[in-house]
Amino acid sequence: MCGRYAVTTDPAKLAAEIDAVNEVPVPLDAAAGTPGSPGPNYNVAPTTTVMTVVKRHDHDDPDDDPRLRVRAMRWGLVPAWAKEVGKGPLLFNARAETAGEKSSFRASVKSRRCLVPMDGWYEWKKGPPDSKGKPTKVPFFMSPVDGTRLFMAGLWSVWHDRTDDAAPPLLSCSILTTDAVGDLREVHDRMPLIMPYDNWDAWLDPDHRAPDTLFAPPSADVAAAIAIREVSPLVNRVANNSPELLNPV
């Protein structure tokens, strides 16, 4: 699964790096009305407003070639058919194997796929009992060995408040997960679905469904390029948000 991650770039810098249109307003949370920050976030949690990358046609010129766009979305997908936000399950993850079969994700799988950029993600592994005999969980941080950025496969949706015609649409997303590969299996049996750059065009294509092969677990080479390190239990509290969360124990 993927329930917490870190990202240290800002929308404008990311857009420049990948030659995308930056559509994120300042501050970041203005797009969705949920907690967020345009700066580094070392402890991103569900319901936070996060950066995503989509490929869409221009709204005023739908016949033009689609372009990469950086957008702000609520992490926790709200299906278009939901009556209100926050009443249903918090859909921050979707299983890549079955997302296309679920009513919450079916439409997004067809034409609303995105990328979620991050420096790395956290996962917890069962640890030894504490002094009182209670079970513990040890946090780990997974990130590229070479220090580059990861882009995870995601799904997104547009929700409209039917009780307020003047309210702006809510964009929200979910990160796809898949079976863990290689050494990552020692931490957790699931992992976010990493989307290599070579597959971006097919994954983000707004006019065609992505090939089934892109929903499969990453290759062993991709997994081998991910470093795994134990980090401080400080990450267990969402309120803690500083670079020291990434320091190895």
Side-chain angles (χ1 to χ4, degrees):
M1 62 179 295
C2 179
R4 211 81 66 78
Y5 68 89
V7 59
T8 57
T9 192
D10 61 73
K13 181 178 179 181
L14 177 65
E17 288 179 359
I18 64 175
D19 190 25
V21 178
N22 179 21
E23 297 183 347
V24 177
V26 178
L28 178 61
D29 60 350
T34 54
S37 169
N41 191 336
Y42 300 93
N43 204 355
V44 184
T47 72
T48 300
T49 300
V50 300
M51 285 188 298
T52 64
V53 179
V54 301
K55 195 172 187 179
R56 310 300 290 179
H57 296 280
D58 189 286
H59 186 270
D60 297 322
D61 188 7
D63 294 326
D64 74 336
D65 292 332
R67 287 200 61 184
L68 290 178
R69 304 172 188 275
V70 179
R71 290 181 175 175
M73 299 188 190
R74 175 188 188 266
W75 185 21
L77 188 142
V78 180
W81 45 259
K83 293 184 178 180
E84 56 183 306
V85 177
K87 289 298 183 180
L90 186 56
L91 304 175
F92 60 91
N93 281 167
R95 295 179 69 92
E97 306 91 326
T98 58
E101 305 168 7
K102 306 296 184 181
S103 60
S104 297
F105 304 117
R106 191 179 299 122
S108 298
V109 167
K110 291 180 180 179
S111 60
R112 287 196 171 118
R113 300 175 300 276
C114 65
L115 298 171
V116 180
M118 62 178 69
D119 293 20
W121 77 97
Y122 299 98
E123 195 55 78
W124 282 259
K125 183 178 180 180
K126 183 178 180 180
D130 61 16
S131 58
K132 297 182 179 179
K134 296 182 179 179
T136 61
K137 289 187 177 182
V138 181
F140 288 81
F141 185 68
M142 278 63 66
S143 62
V145 173
D146 60 7
T148 55
R149 189 173 295 110
L150 291 167
F151 289 84
M152 303 305 186
L155 306 173
W156 64 285
S157 180
V158 182
W159 180 82
H160 295 274
D161 187 348
R162 297 175 180 80
T163 65
D164 184 0
D165 294 337
L170 171 67
L171 305 185
S172 60
C173 67
S174 182
I175 295 176
L176 286 171
T177 66
T178 186
D179 288 335
V181 178
D183 292 342
L184 296 170
R185 289 176 295 190
E186 297 180 12
V187 180
H188 199 279
D189 62 348
R190 303 289 293 179
M191 64 177 284
L193 179 58
I194 300 171
M195 190 57 59
Y197 178 77
D198 290 346
N199 294 336
W200 284 19
D201 283 343
W203 180 254
L204 296 174
D205 186 346
D207 303 316
H208 302 90
R209 191 187 190 281
D212 290 341
T213 54
L214 298 190
F215 291 83
S219 67
D221 290 343
V222 171
I226 302 297
I228 305 170
R229 65 176 182 268
E230 182 181 344
V231 292
S232 169
L234 288 172
V235 72
N236 295 350
R237 293 190 66 236
V238 175
N240 294 329
N241 197 326
S242 66
E244 66 180 315
L245 298 185
L246 305 183
N247 293 340
V249 172

